[in-house]
């Protein structure tokens, strides 16, 4: 039976993998007048950076909690389960893709806080993992800003 920290890290890694896959898909699906900026400077930036975050999260998890945290089948199953909760970027408008992406990143930040709090309370949060989770949260807060700016005008100045 998996302990709580292992389960949380598989959830965390699965969510990151889902973000990578979803934004890579968004990168391919975006079209219209915002194509060039969205394709490379928004979704391209996010999925490339998150790919590195996935690798780091899995390596940290294995190092701290064991090989079970790096199980690609479990991480992929978790990623698919999470991805099914969000709109598919296929056939979405450019604004629809950005709005769904914004919700994904906000939900990831909530999960990051939960993971951080539980690991900290249990004594399983190493200094390096603390730094890793915080650095990723910092990056994802930048993605929130970029995605909010992307949809602000289409949403009448509201996000």
């Amino acid at each position: 039976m998996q302990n709580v920290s292992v389960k949380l890290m598989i959830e965390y890694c699965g969510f990151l993998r889902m973000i990578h896959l979803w934004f890579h898909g968004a990168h391919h699906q975006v079209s219209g007048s915002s194509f060039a900026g969205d394709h490379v400077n928004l979704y391209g930036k996010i999925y490339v950076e998150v790919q590195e975050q996935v690798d780091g999260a899995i390596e940290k998890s294995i190092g701290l909690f064991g090989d079970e945290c790096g199980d690609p089948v479990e991480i992929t199953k978790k990623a698919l389960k999470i991805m099914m909760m969000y709109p598919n970027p296929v056939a979405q408008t450019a604004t629809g893709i950005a709005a769904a992406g914004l919700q994904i990143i906000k939900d990831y930040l909530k999960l990051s806080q939960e993971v951080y709090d539980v690991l900290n309370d249990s004594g399983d949060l190493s200094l390096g993992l603390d730094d890793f989770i915080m650095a990723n949260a910092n990056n994802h807060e930048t993605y929130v800003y970029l995605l909010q700016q992307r949809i602000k005008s289409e949403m009448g100045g509201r996000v």
Side-chain angles (χ1 to χ4, degrees):
M1 179 174 202
Q2 296 175 332
N3 73 36
V4 172
S5 297
V6 170
K7 287 180 181 178
L8 271 175
M9 291 312 296
I10 291 172
E11 179 86 14
Y12 183 81
C13 292
F15 209 121
L16 275 172
R17 175 62 74 199
M18 184 281 293
I19 292 170
H20 168 253
L21 292 169
W22 194 94
F23 278 91
H24 198 181
H27 164 82
H28 290 121
Q29 293 298 323
V30 72
S31 62
S33 61
S34 61
F35 170 78
D38 288 353
H39 181 73
V40 175
N41 298 323
L42 185 56
Y43 305 125
K45 172 186 175 53
I46 293 171
Y47 92 80
V48 168
E49 289 179 5
V50 172
Q51 171 63 38
E52 298 222 0
Q53 295 168 15
V54 170
D55 188 57
I58 293 170
E59 289 172 356
K60 274 232 183 277
S61 298
I62 291 171
L64 293 169
F65 305 110
D67 291 343
E68 191 175 6
C69 290
D71 183 337
V73 173
E74 288 304 311
I75 291 169
T76 303
K77 283 197 278 189
K78 189 62 71 176
L80 181 58
K81 182 179 177 186
I82 296 165
M83 192 179 307
M84 298 304 291
M85 298 174 359
Y86 297 97
N88 188 330
V90 174
Q92 293 286 323
T93 65
T95 303
I97 292 172
L102 177 61
Q103 188 60 56
I104 288 168
I105 299 300
K106 286 181 174 182
D107 290 347
Y108 166 77
L109 287 167
K110 287 179 194 170
L111 174 66
S112 296
Q113 184 68 59
E114 177 187 327
V115 169
Y116 184 92
D117 291 343
V118 170
L119 293 176
N120 191 42
D121 291 347
S122 70
D124 283 344
L125 186 65
S126 70
L127 289 175
L129 185 55
D130 180 305
D131 181 64
F132 183 84
I133 292 171
M134 286 191 182
N136 276 354
N138 185 49
N139 289 333
H140 286 257
E141 287 174 2
T142 299
Y143 304 154
V144 167
Y145 166 74
L146 294 172
L147 290 161
Q148 283 177 337
Q149 292 303 103
R150 169 63 186 83
I151 63 175
K152 192 177 275 187
S153 65
E154 285 89 347
M155 305 296 284
R158 306 176 318 275
V159 180

